[in-house]
């Protein structure tokens, strides 16, 4: 494979499609990188060719994306780098909720922890993964934090119970009551003149932050 520093990404897209007929469903070039969407059932064929004849030896990252409105809700995204080609390829495979995708650990050993993180954050299962467990959240964690329908506060919180002498889980409770903020002023309507307020008079009917000067 010849070495070149200014890759023709369109030619690279054609090379991938020609080597794997029917596997690539879409390709596009943006920000100097090639992105291809592939049939999920053929993800190992695509990654195997890219790692071998394609000479994309480095798996830089593997992550998930959530599109709740889509039929195939998730994308599993592989970022690959070729030093000899001086090129990057982004491979995307759509996965439905409750579906699994083949693990690529046998092709890219570095994918092991990346796949566990995607499983932990999005709930996407990787078939034939040697050790598919949560990696960032706790053992009793409920839900998948990076899904777009996951509440910002989470479902449960944990604390140390002094009576039980152990960590316990309990439903999240927001201890702060709802506050009626005055968005006219970041200072919540300070009654005195703040430094800098004397330089610009407020509107006559302003609700707060009156500088004491009238136009």
């Amino acid at each position: 494979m010849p070495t070149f520093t200014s890759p023709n990404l369109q030619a690279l897209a054609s090379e991938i499609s020609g080597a794997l007929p029917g596997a690539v469903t879409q390709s596009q070039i943006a920000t100097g990188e090639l992105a291809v969407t592939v049939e999920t059932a053929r993800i190992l064929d695509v990654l195997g060719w890219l790692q071998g004849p394609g000479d994309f030896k480095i798996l830089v990252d593997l992550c998930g994306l959530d599109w709740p409105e889509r039929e195939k809700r998730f994308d599993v995204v592989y970022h690959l780098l070729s030093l000899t080609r001086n090129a990057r390829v982004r491979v995307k495979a759509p996965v439905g909720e409750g579906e699994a995708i083949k693990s690529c650990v046998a092709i890219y050993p570095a994918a092991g922890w990346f796949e566990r993180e995607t499983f932990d954050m999005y709930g996407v299962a990787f078939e034939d993964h040697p050790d598919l467990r949560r990696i960032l959240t706790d053992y009793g964690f409920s839900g998948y934090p990076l899904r777009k329908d996951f509440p910002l506060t989470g479902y449960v919180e944990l604390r140390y119970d002094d009576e039980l002498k152990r960590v316990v889980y309990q439903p999240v409770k927001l201890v702060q009551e709802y506050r009626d903020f005055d968005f006219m002023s970041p200072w919540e309507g300070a009654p005195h003149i703040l430094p800098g307020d004397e330089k610009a008079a407020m509107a006559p009917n302003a609700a707060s932050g009156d500088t004491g000067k009238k136009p």
Side-chain angles (χ1 to χ4, degrees):
M1 176 93 38
T3 300
F4 54 101
T5 58
S6 181
N8 185 326
L9 297 179
Q10 191 60 55
L12 178 58
S14 301
E15 184 180 355
I16 297 172
S17 299
L20 302 159
V24 177
T25 60
Q26 182 182 2
S27 63
Q28 61 181 4
I29 298 171
T31 64
E33 295 183 8
L34 172 65
V36 294
T37 302
V38 304
E39 290 286 349
T40 304
R42 299 195 60 188
I43 186 62
L44 293 188
D45 295 337
V46 174
L47 294 178
W49 185 89
L50 287 169
Q51 197 276 344
D55 210 26
F56 285 84
K57 303 296 185 184
I58 302 174
L59 174 67
V60 177
D61 188 25
L62 186 161
C63 61
L65 286 174
D66 185 15
W67 307 94
E69 69 283 356
R70 272 187 3 190
E71 181 182 358
K72 294 283 188 178
R73 176 172 179 173
F74 305 104
D75 278 337
V76 178
V77 186
Y78 307 78
H79 296 89
L80 307 178
L81 170 65
S82 172
L83 297 180
T84 56
R85 289 178 176 267
N86 188 27
R88 296 177 184 268
V89 171
R90 183 181 301 108
V91 179
K92 297 188 289 185
V95 181
E97 188 167 3
E99 297 179 357
I101 185 173
K102 288 282 188 179
S103 170
C104 68
V105 171
I107 301 172
Y108 292 103
W113 281 27
F114 291 142
E115 290 180 347
R116 285 180 60 183
E117 182 180 357
T118 303
F119 167 70
D120 193 2
M121 297 289 104
Y122 293 94
V124 177
F126 290 85
E127 189 177 341
D128 298 328
H129 189 285
D131 186 23
L132 192 62
R133 294 176 293 138
R134 289 187 180 268
I135 191 172
L136 297 177
T137 58
D138 201 4
Y139 295 106
F141 192 86
S142 176
Y144 304 101
L146 289 186
R147 289 190 179 189
K148 291 183 179 177
D149 54 5
F150 188 82
L152 296 179
T153 57
Y155 294 108
V156 295
E157 60 184 355
L158 71 161
R159 64 176 178 83
Y160 181 78
D161 191 299
D162 196 50
E163 294 182 358
L164 298 176
K165 304 300 182 183
R166 64 180 177 86
V167 173
V168 297
Y169 286 87
Q170 62 187 29
V172 171
K173 293 182 179 179
L174 299 179
V175 296
Q176 184 181 20
E177 295 293 336
Y178 174 78
R179 295 177 60 191
D180 186 11
F181 292 98
D182 180 1
F183 293 103
M184 286 296 296
S185 170
W187 306 105
E188 285 294 296
H192 54 277
I193 298 177
L194 298 171
D197 279 355
E198 67 278 0
K199 296 180 181 179
M202 291 284 291
N205 296 325
S208 62
D210 193 348
T211 62
K213 289 187 177 181
K214 302 299 180 183

